[in-house]
Amino acid sequence: MIRTGEAMAAENIYYIGLDLGCTFLKYALGASDGSLIVKKKTPSRADQAQSVIFEVIFSAIEELMEEAKTRGGKVVAIGLGSPGAVDFKKCRLIGNTPNLQSWGNAEIRKTITGRFGLPIWADNDANVMALAEATQGAAKGYKYVIALTLGTGIGGGILIDGEIYRGINYAGAELGHLSIAYDGHPCNCGGRGCIEQYASAPAMVRNYLDKIKDASEEVTTITIFARAAEGDQSAIETIDETAEYLGAALASIINTFNPEIIVIGGGVADAGEEFLTRIRHAYEGRTMKPALKGLKLVRAKLGNDAGVVGAISLAKKMYEQSQ
Ligand SMILES: [Zn+2]
């Protein structure tokens, strides 16, 4: 086979993926096919000034550029996933992020491209995770994808025809704030009855503690699933109800988007296949039949790597489009 100049050059192309969180900045070097070569993490120093967080990011980028150089190649683009709403066009934060206080209004592109001269694309972390699963994870090869991350909150990502759906003000795809009860629990978003108030990890714990009438007990979702396996009735009921809540939310999502595949990630999803089966049964009873044809419900595959993998996928996708 004759190797063209273009193919040889592609082998020496690298991407940087950054996943900014409240505790850590995860950072990784990706090959031309988007696969991970090196991955690392460092404290994000989220409690400090914005300039300090940028310094942490600069160091990570410098380290990975050096790594690419020792491999005889060069970094061509950077991707970054961040908490909060991100103006994708300008790659800057819109307003504040509660857990990363000084990060509000951060000028990601201006600051990073200004320093390194490399193109960067930044997006909301839930969108980046959805892209990760669709390019390298459980939804690889699918174009109509819904991703839900069940954790402290509920994050959502929507891919329509392979493209991340962001909405006109980049405030869309907040699937955790889909309401399942119009006069239900108040939510910190200003709404009521948001699925996040019913099926996130803290909501599940609260529901269980209400049932056992002992608010002092130290319980996590792991405890609840373990106790259910031992036959604890309150734990079983809590899990059944969580599945019903998620089923109600997913039925609305399925009727609206008619996805090919739904990916569930986060700690609660680690509970296993049986929990997923319960969720499936719950939405099947509530969804219009044509939208269920061929629909898959799967667990996320990439776990803690989803952020950096997605950031690399974003950098690669946008860089290739810009060429
Ligand atoms: Zn809400």
Side-chain angles (χ1 to χ4, degrees):
M1 192 179 128
I2 299 163
R3 298 173 80 185
T4 65
E6 201 183 332
M8 277 167 62
E11 286 170 11
N12 296 323
I13 279 177
Y14 294 98
Y15 301 97
I16 286 177
L18 304 166
D19 175 18
L20 180 64
C22 315
T23 319
F24 290 108
L25 170 74
K26 293 179 193 146
Y27 56 107
L29 192 66
S32 56
D33 64 355
S35 61
L36 291 189
I37 293 177
V38 176
K39 70 172 180 189
K40 293 184 169 184
K41 68 177 180 182
T42 184
S44 53
R45 302 172 79 180
D47 55 339
Q48 298 189 40
Q50 193 181 97
S51 59
V52 177
I53 301 176
F54 268 120
E55 284 300 330
V56 172
I57 294 173
F58 291 163
S59 301
I61 293 172
E62 278 161 12
E63 193 183 328
L64 294 175
M65 284 173 79
E66 218 28 65
E67 183 71 43
K69 216 167 143 187
T70 60
R71 288 166 186 268
K74 62 169 188 170
V75 173
V76 293
I78 304 170
L80 183 145
S82 166
V86 179
D87 179 330
F88 183 67
K89 216 166 180 179
K90 294 178 180 156
C91 289
R92 63 183 297 274
L93 258 286
I94 303 169
N96 292 313
T97 52
N99 299 323
L100 259 169
Q101 281 189 355
S102 67
W103 193 238
N105 300 308
E107 292 282 359
I108 297 169
R109 175 173 288 155
K110 254 187 205 164
T111 313
I112 293 175
T113 300
R115 169 113 176 189
F116 296 99
L118 284 170
I120 182 164
W121 286 275
D123 205 344
N124 167 264
D125 48 13
N127 288 348
V128 168
M129 280 182 179
L131 184 65
E133 292 295 337
T135 51
Q136 306 277 344
K140 191 170 179 176
Y142 293 90
K143 289 182 149 188
Y144 293 84
V145 182
I146 298 291
L148 273 190
T149 308
L150 312 177
T152 315
I154 294 185
I158 300 167
L159 263 86
I160 298 175
D161 199 16
E163 298 294 327
I164 294 174
Y165 179 76
R166 300 179 176 93
I168 190 69
N169 298 323
Y170 311 101
E174 287 287 354
L175 300 177
H177 299 281
L178 188 148
S179 180
I180 58 165
Y182 84 97
D183 58 351
H185 298 314
C187 181
N188 48 22
C189 71
R192 289 191 89 102
C194 298
I195 182 66
E196 183 168 293
Q197 296 299 323
Y198 293 81
S200 61
M204 211 174 154
V205 168
R206 195 179 56 213
N207 187 9
Y208 177 70
L209 292 177
D210 281 352
K211 287 186 200 303
I212 62 168
K213 297 186 173 58
D214 181 4
S216 64
E217 243 203 292
E218 287 279 326
V219 168
T220 65
T221 54
I222 296 168
T223 329
I224 298 171
F225 280 103
R227 288 185 186 177
E230 291 162 3
D232 176 340
Q233 206 51 40
S234 299
I236 293 169
E237 275 173 29
T238 302
I239 292 167
D240 282 346
E241 285 168 16
T242 307
E244 286 297 327
Y245 297 145
L246 286 168
L250 283 171
S252 294
I253 293 169
I254 295 162
N255 284 336
T256 309
F257 293 102
N258 183 201
E260 295 172 280
I261 188 165
I262 298 165
V263 185
I264 308 267
V268 174
D270 291 339
E273 280 308 317
E274 202 196 319
F275 183 52
L276 241 62
T277 303
R278 282 174 199 226
I279 298 169
R280 188 182 299 116
H281 286 156
Y283 71 63
E284 279 177 352
R286 295 166 173 265
T287 310
M288 290 189 282
K289 298 297 164 270
L292 290 174
K293 198 180 156 207
L295 176 64
K296 291 179 179 65
L297 177 73
V298 296
R299 274 196 284 168
K301 211 170 165 182
L302 299 168
N304 289 330
D305 289 344
V308 286
V309 170
I312 288 166
S313 295
L314 182 69
K316 174 176 155 63
K317 183 178 165 68
M318 297 311 295
Y319 174 74
E320 286 172 354
Q321 272 177 30
S322 73
Q323 294 302 292

